[in-house]
Amino acid sequence: MSSSLEFADYAVFIIYFLIVSIYGYIVYRKREQNEHDAKAYFLAEGTLTWWAIGASLIASNISAEQFIGMSGEGFFLGIAVAAYEWIAAIALIIIAIWFIPVYLKNKIYTMPQFLTTRYNETTALIMAVFWLFLYVFVNLTSILYLGAVAINGLAGGDYLHVIMLGLAVFALIISLGGMKVVAYTDVIQVAVLIIGGLVTSYIALTTVGEYFGVGKDAIAGFNVLMQEAPEHFKMIIPRPTATSTQLEIDKYLTFPGVLSYLAGIWIINLNYWGCNQYITQRALGADLQTARTGILFAGLLKLLMPVIVMLPGIAAYVLYQGGHLPQLVGGKDGAYSAMLTFLPTGLKGLSVAALTAAIVASLAGKVNSISTIYTLDVHKKYIQKG
């Protein structure tokens, strides 16, 4: 078990980088020849297929927060946190049926523009400035930092700032080509993300099976997880009683049982998927049928996410409790990185590529949305009118 990368790992990562970069450049050159207006740049109007929209939605959504944070919650809490992912799939159906038709009917480019139609210019400006600050100072920084921490842990050195800079430059190059380049490179990114994530989950399960003496078999390893940590496979956390331990209380406070299903998760998901610029922007330039199909495809992909980001966390918990995993760096949030150390040479590179794909796709999507909101809702209206 080693955390450092070898030549084969770097080779796999470089191949991934070249494929995304070359494909992105080809899409960029085609867009430059045929499309020159702002709507084509920001929305790729009429040129995105349903599968590009769906893949881009997932690529923009899944980032270091999911790989690191949700694996950590899988380690601490278990499968219950998957409710955020699975209810998101239902929320996407609601958005495809009721939200998107309203946006497309009103020819909305941005969410602040919708607020102008629904309320007034002042409300739209307040929210535009708020979203710009949120995306720049919260979203971009957290994705860059968490992603760099995870990759740095695998690289086995002190390259945090270099990795952050590299991720930022990679994302910036992709975003320069506009939404069409972002969306179509996201197809490759999400393919790498899913394949790399499933490989990591498979290796995690076979590792559990090997250490617990049932053979290097994924199904047997999953059965070990069920036997060794049955409480990690409960979707509803029971309400604490007078005899509950502090750990049981902490778990309930993290995910308060039925109450989470009835209220909080729905509000979060409907807001995130239906009112969030860097999510809805992918569908705003398409016709209704294409947008709806793409959103439903994203909902289907969303069902896979707990398998990709949570199973490694539960596997890390079982190995840790069995004494087969060393002290986690960073507590529960070190669970995913700890499981990556079990990967053989070459597959580590694939997992780094999957992590990078998740990070870069989210960064590029957010940068594109930031430029869209700033250009159309602030600069064009208040600084350089027309």
Side-chain angles (χ1 to χ4, degrees):
M1 186 176 68
S2 171
S3 62
S4 59
L5 301 178
E6 299 182 23
F7 176 78
D9 300 309
Y10 288 110
V12 170
F13 180 81
I14 290 170
I15 290 171
Y16 148 76
F17 175 82
L18 290 175
I19 290 174
V20 173
S21 300
I22 293 170
Y23 182 65
Y25 181 74
I26 291 171
V27 176
Y28 168 72
R29 292 298 300 168
K30 287 183 178 179
R31 191 196 71 77
E32 282 289 286
Q33 292 170 7
N34 302 314
E35 302 156 12
H36 303 285
D37 65 334
K39 192 164 187 178
Y41 182 85
F42 290 123
L43 300 182
E45 184 183 20
T47 62
L48 297 185
T49 59
W50 62 266
W51 44 268
I53 291 172
S56 189
L57 284 170
I58 294 301
S60 297
N61 167 239
I62 301 300
S63 189
E65 304 104 308
Q66 274 75 18
F67 277 99
I68 305 305
M70 289 200 72
S71 288
E73 292 304 327
F75 180 93
F76 171 67
L77 189 63
I79 202 70
V81 184
Y84 285 97
E85 305 296 303
W86 289 331
I87 289 178
I90 302 174
L92 281 164
I93 296 173
I94 294 171
I95 288 156
I97 295 173
W98 284 292
F99 282 52
I100 287 299
V102 175
Y103 295 154
L104 296 184
K105 180 181 178 181
N106 288 280
K107 295 180 168 46
I108 299 300
Y109 286 25
T110 68
M111 289 299 99
Q113 184 186 347
F114 175 72
L115 292 176
T116 302
T117 304
R118 182 66 179 81
Y119 297 105
N120 53 53
E121 291 280 359
T122 303
T123 304
L125 178 61
I126 291 170
M127 289 309 299
V129 173
F130 169 77
W131 274 321
L132 287 173
F133 273 91
L134 180 69
Y135 289 163
V136 172
F137 295 106
V138 178
N139 294 140
L140 289 182
T141 52
S142 63
I143 291 171
L144 271 175
Y145 176 73
L146 288 173
V149 166
I151 295 173
N152 186 60
L154 275 175
D158 187 17
Y159 310 114
L160 186 66
H161 293 93
V162 175
I163 293 171
M164 288 180 69
L165 183 61
L167 290 171
V169 171
F170 190 8
L172 186 62
I173 291 171
I174 293 175
S175 65
L176 287 175
M179 177 52 68
K180 187 172 183 178
V181 176
V182 171
Y184 278 108
T185 53
D186 278 352
V187 175
I188 299 176
Q189 307 274 37
V190 83
V192 173
L193 185 160
I194 290 175
I195 293 170
L198 288 175
V199 166
T200 301
S201 295
Y202 176 80
I203 297 296
L205 293 176
T206 56
T207 300
V208 169
E210 182 181 17
Y211 274 93
F212 280 82
V214 296
K216 297 187 70 172
D217 180 82
I219 302 298
F222 183 78
N223 290 333
V224 170
L225 297 187
M226 297 280 287
Q227 294 166 8
E228 296 294 323
E231 73 285 353
H232 275 57
F233 289 89
K234 293 180 179 178
M235 288 300 296
I236 297 178
I237 307 300
R239 182 183 292 273
T241 63
T243 59
S244 296
T245 64
Q246 185 59 48
L247 180 60
E248 291 171 333
I249 294 172
D250 290 342
K251 287 185 176 182
Y252 182 80
L253 292 175
T254 301
F255 191 86
V258 177
L259 293 176
S260 295
Y261 289 95
L262 295 177
I265 296 178
W266 286 103
I267 296 170
I268 292 170
N269 274 306
L270 289 173
N271 173 69
Y272 179 86
W273 293 99
C275 307
N276 195 336
Q277 178 66 29
Y278 81 91
I279 295 296
T280 57
Q281 189 168 335
R282 277 117 185 90
L284 293 180
D287 62 83
L288 181 58
Q289 184 60 41
T290 303
R292 278 180 165 171
T293 306
I295 292 170
L296 294 177
F297 178 52
L300 179 64
L301 294 177
K302 200 68 176 156
L303 298 176
L304 283 175
M305 291 306 113
V307 177
I308 292 173
V309 300
M310 297 194 70
L311 269 185
I314 300 174
Y317 173 81
V318 170
L319 290 172
Y320 183 75
Q321 293 298 112
H324 304 298
L325 196 65
Q327 184 71 31
L328 295 178
V329 178
K332 65 180 182 180
D333 287 340
Y336 195 82
S337 295
M339 292 310 301
L340 291 182
T341 62
F342 289 100
L343 295 177
T345 299
L347 290 183
K348 282 183 187 175
L350 179 61
S351 291
V352 172
L355 262 176
T356 305
I359 296 160
V360 168
S362 288
L363 287 173
K366 284 183 174 64
V367 168
N368 186 270
S369 296
I370 288 166
S371 66
T372 304
I373 291 177
Y374 173 76
T375 303
L376 301 182
D377 294 306
V378 178
H379 193 89
K380 186 178 179 182
K381 285 186 177 180
Y382 300 101
I383 298 174
Q384 190 177 355
K385 295 183 180 181

